[in-house]
Amino acid sequence: MKKRIKKVFILLIVFSNVFFVSCDRNKVYEGFEEIPGDVWDNKQKINFVFEIDDTLALHNVYIHIRHASNYQYKNIWLFVKSSAPNGLVQIDTLECNLADDLGKWYGKGGDILNLQMPWKMNVRFAHKGKYSVEYEQAMRMEQLPGIAQMGLRVEKVDAK
């Protein structure tokens, strides 16, 4: 009986590992950068570099924001600069809403909330090579307390 329970337990571990690994098979890149002391200085730029090999596939790009549950605002404004391997640079000004009008946070978690925001959906990267994305907080204050980490995720869209 103990051997059977042990076999079932081992099979359960194997299947759960396969399930969790396959759930993230579309990930091309995911990275996070800590904000020192959870206070984002407006001069601190956060940079992510990733490589694209498949120029035919559609991709989704997400901005990750990890913030304190006592963050003072319901949003955060960002300057987002993206650079392509061919030298093309684009700068977007984005408002990322972190809470609804009643103050209910969109992110999940406890003291630190994690929110994944869609930024560019169903895009094709025109060139193979290294791309970079740079964040800068644009909240009209030098020191923005309550932001713990910023992240970027690039994933292939499932072909259905």
Side-chain angles (χ1 to χ4, degrees), residues 28-31 47-53 59-61 82-85 119 125 127-134 152-155:
V28 173
Y29 173 83
E30 187 168 41
N47 197 41
F48 302 96
V49 177
F50 58 95
E51 187 140 355
I52 293 295
D53 294 325
H59 293 81
N60 291 333
V61 184
S82 55
S83 304
W119 175 37
F125 291 98
H127 304 280
K128 287 185 178 185
K130 291 188 188 288
Y131 287 77
S132 69
V133 174
E134 180 182 271
L152 180 76
R153 178 180 173 89
V154 180
E155 64 185 25

Side-chain angles (χ1 to χ4, degrees), residues 67-69 71 73-75 97-109 113 115:
H67 66 90
S69 60
Y71 179 70
Y73 307 99
K74 73 173 205 154
N75 66 353
N97 289 307
L98 306 178
D100 64 19
D101 289 336
L102 299 175
K104 183 175 178 346
W105 296 116
Y106 294 130
K108 304 221 182 309
L113 298 154
L115 181 63

Side-chain angles (χ1 to χ4, degrees), residues 78-91:
L78 301 174
F79 296 131
V80 181
K81 178 181 171 183
S82 55
S83 304
N86 67 343
L88 180 67
V89 174
Q90 291 183 307
I91 299 175

Side-chain angles (χ1 to χ4, degrees), residues 14-47:
V14 169
F15 283 123
S16 64
N17 283 342
V18 168
F19 175 75
F20 286 116
V21 168
S22 67
C23 285
D24 216 16
R25 71 184 183 279
N26 293 340
K27 178 175 82 171
V28 173
Y29 173 83
E30 187 168 41
F32 289 89
E33 190 70 34
E34 286 211 31
I35 308 293
D38 296 351
V39 178
W40 194 358
D41 187 282
N42 67 350
K43 292 175 184 63
Q44 178 190 5
K45 296 177 181 176
I46 299 170
N47 197 41

